[in-house]
């Protein structure tokens, strides 16, 4: 109300709407921010994300292209663009963006997880395994990484994560989603071990 032309205010309202799953509102507020500051790649990146979440893929792709027309070394922008590209099935374009995000914030497990997911879709299983392990190293209770890792490889007597999974499962007593991921991973590995 004090400054209706404050682009970041519109953008932050768009982020609130996005987090509350009010996608139409998020898109409109994000577009208002872009109208006020048309050279901000972060605005285009999150507009692309909003479009992709409501399956408006042509608009998402256009917003990605607009964001990528600017030079940015922002970890969050590169990760967001990578996520949108992966939703569009363009994992080969997403991987370098995730790598740029990791270069800026090497201790963020989300970026490694996103990178590993795209590598998995591309068939780069060794790289995906390395990056899923990095996620777990950075944050042991990043439960989706455990189940993704179990799906990625065949456990053997020589190479498995059964003890680690059981240990994490004992810690996840109040986390139903965590238990689901860990039990899925544990079940998959035990099946491979014929147990």
């Amino acid at each position: 109300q004090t400054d209706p032309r404050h682009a970041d205010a519109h953008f932050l309202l768009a982020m609130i709407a996005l987090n509350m799953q009010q996608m139409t509102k998020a898109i409109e507020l994000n577009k208002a921010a872009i109208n006020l500051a048309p050279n901000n790649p972060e605005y285009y990146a999150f507009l692309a994300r909003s479009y992709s979440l409501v399956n408006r893929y042509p608009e998402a792709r256009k917003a990605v292209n607009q964001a990528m027309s600017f030079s940015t070394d922002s970890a969050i922008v590169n990760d967001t663009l990578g996520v949108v590209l992966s939703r569009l099935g363009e994992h080969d374009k997403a991987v370098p963006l995730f790598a740029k995000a990791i270069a800026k914030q090497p201790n963020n497990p989300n970026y490694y997880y996103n990178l590993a997911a795209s590598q998995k879709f591309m068939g780069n299983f060794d790289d995906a395994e390395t990056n899923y392990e990095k996620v777990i190293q950075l944050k042991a209770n990043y439960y989706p990484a455990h189940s993704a890792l179990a799906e990625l490889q065949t456990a053997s007597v020589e190479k498995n994560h059964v003890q680690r999974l059981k240990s994490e499962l004992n810690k996840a007593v109040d986390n139903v989603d965590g238990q689901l991921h860990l039990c899925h991973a544990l079940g998959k590995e035990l099946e491979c071990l014929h147990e």
Side-chain angles (χ1 to χ4, degrees):
Q1 290 176 339
T2 304
D3 183 2
R5 298 195 56 76
H6 194 289
D8 263 349
H10 290 275
F11 177 67
L12 292 173
L13 285 171
M15 294 300 90
I16 292 168
L18 179 66
N19 288 332
M20 295 179 69
Q21 302 296 311
Q22 298 173 348
M23 306 312 290
T24 302
K25 188 174 184 180
I27 289 168
E28 292 310 311
L29 286 163
N30 212 326
K31 287 164 69 176
I34 288 169
N35 286 335
L36 295 168
N39 297 323
N40 189 322
E42 185 174 20
Y43 296 175
Y44 289 105
F46 279 92
L47 179 62
R49 179 179 173 198
S50 297
Y51 278 135
S52 74
L53 289 171
V54 292
N55 303 322
R56 291 173 62 180
Y57 298 128
E59 293 101 324
R61 182 171 277 109
K62 182 179 178 186
V64 166
N65 292 338
Q66 289 169 312
M68 292 180 71
S69 70
F70 302 100
S71 175
T72 180
D73 62 355
S74 163
I76 188 71
V77 169
N78 284 308
D79 179 67
T80 301
L81 292 171
V83 168
V84 174
L85 286 168
S86 68
R87 284 194 183 119
L88 297 173
E90 297 180 21
H91 298 284
D92 57 326
K93 293 179 183 174
V95 164
L97 293 169
F98 294 135
K100 284 173 73 173
I102 288 168
K104 291 300 287 185
Q105 291 184 3
N107 293 319
N108 188 320
N110 295 325
Y111 300 161
Y112 289 96
Y113 184 84
N114 293 338
L115 174 60
S118 278
Q119 289 169 328
K120 178 182 171 183
F121 275 104
M122 292 175 65
N124 298 339
F125 301 128
D126 290 342
D127 291 338
E129 178 183 355
T130 298
N131 286 305
Y132 283 132
E133 287 287 2
K134 184 66 176 179
V135 172
I136 295 166
Q137 176 192 336
L138 290 169
K139 187 176 179 184
N141 66 348
Y142 199 116
Y143 302 119
H146 292 279
S147 57
L149 187 60
E151 284 294 326
L152 189 64
Q153 60 189 13
T154 302
S156 65
V157 173
E158 298 79 23
K159 184 179 179 185
N160 66 74
H161 308 99
V162 171
Q163 290 308 315
R164 178 172 74 187
L165 291 166
K166 287 181 177 179
S167 174
E168 286 303 316
L169 189 57
N170 287 333
K171 298 174 194 172
V173 291
D174 294 327
N175 188 320
V176 175
D177 286 337
Q179 291 174 19
L180 180 67
H181 283 288
L182 292 168
C183 286
H184 171 78
L186 189 56
K188 174 79 167 64
E189 294 210 0
L190 290 172
E191 182 181 29
C192 292
L193 298 171
H194 305 291
E195 296 181 23

